[in-house]
Amino acid sequence: MQSITKHITKCLIAGIVALLPIAALVLTVVQLEHMLSTGWLKSQAVYFPGLGLIVAALIIYAIGLTVTTFLGKWLWRTMDQVLDRMPLFGGLYRTLKQILGYGEGKDAMFKQVVLVPTGKSDGVELGLVTNQVLDGAGQTQLMIFIPGSPNPATGRLLMLQPQQVQVINMTVNDAFKSLVSAGSTAVPMSEAK
């Protein structure tokens, strides 16, 4: 009975974790459409259901275009610094950045990207180093999170010796993009260190 309860609980939690990003995306899109369609868009001469989504996509594209320019990058860095220093929301903002792979420096959740042998074949998996610890024999072990794809919020944690992994020249943010896109934005292996 206890193993059935454990199994059901485990599956329910895994299902919730898997659906969270999808649900967040759907809720965001629905909220954006509702907000835009009930506002000034509804009073325009031309309106049809979904126009709010088109306008939202254009706004997101314009923001992306802006932050890829020199001036946009400077403005984004400035806004990032302001949000980071806010008394109540700064901690939450930093935590979200760490979880999404944007955090940098010694306080970053993920330190570097590595390739981990699968053990089942000649293949490798993308891993994110979270920490270095000493085992009982005094040897350095890497704590490596192996995220799932396309949902990097799920995965498993491994402890491996540094010589068992291959460090690659990829930022954590790029690794997340690669995982979410199921490898379509992957850095070529020729760039491995």
Side-chain angles (χ1 to χ4, degrees), residues 74-95:
W74 177 81
L75 285 171
W76 189 258
R77 273 195 310 272
T78 303
M79 186 177 74
D80 181 58
Q81 291 170 353
V82 168
L83 289 171
D84 197 46
R85 292 182 185 138
M86 288 180 75
L88 295 175
F89 297 105
L92 177 62
Y93 178 68
R94 283 188 298 276
T95 302

Side-chain angles (χ1 to χ4, degrees), residues 129 131-133 140-144 158-162 165:
V129 177
N131 201 0
Q132 288 187 7
V133 294
T140 300
Q141 298 282 325
L142 298 176
M143 296 292 292
I144 301 170
L158 300 176
M159 277 184 64
L160 296 171
Q161 295 177 348
V165 301

Side-chain angles (χ1 to χ4, degrees), residues 54-186:
I54 294 170
V55 171
L58 290 173
I59 290 169
I60 292 168
Y61 173 76
I63 291 170
L65 186 62
T66 302
V67 297
T68 57
T69 64
F70 177 75
L71 178 61
K73 287 179 184 178
W74 177 81
L75 285 171
W76 189 258
R77 273 195 310 272
T78 303
M79 186 177 74
D80 181 58
Q81 291 170 353
V82 168
L83 289 171
D84 197 46
R85 292 182 185 138
M86 288 180 75
L88 295 175
F89 297 105
L92 177 62
Y93 178 68
R94 283 188 298 276
T95 302
L96 286 172
K97 275 180 31 179
Q98 298 297 330
I99 291 169
L100 295 173
Y102 289 96
E104 297 175 358
K106 64 180 177 72
D107 295 328
M109 181 179 288
F110 303 113
K111 313 296 185 212
Q112 64 186 162
V113 182
V114 295
L115 295 177
V116 178
T118 60
K120 298 175 187 169
S121 66
D122 291 337
V124 291
E125 296 178 282
L126 206 57
L128 304 168
V129 177
T130 60
N131 201 0
Q132 288 187 7
V133 294
L134 293 177
D135 64 9
Q139 294 187 358
T140 300
Q141 298 282 325
L142 298 176
M143 296 292 292
I144 301 170
F145 176 66
I146 308 291
S149 177
N151 180 6
T154 63
R156 62 188 196 284
L157 194 62
L158 300 176
M159 277 184 64
L160 296 171
Q161 295 177 348
Q163 60 269 22
Q164 292 177 283
V165 301
Q166 179 185 1
V167 177
I168 60 171
N169 187 18
M170 179 188 273
T171 65
V172 172
N173 187 23
D174 287 341
F176 274 107
K177 286 179 190 173
S178 180
L179 289 163
V180 170
S181 69
S184 67
T185 60

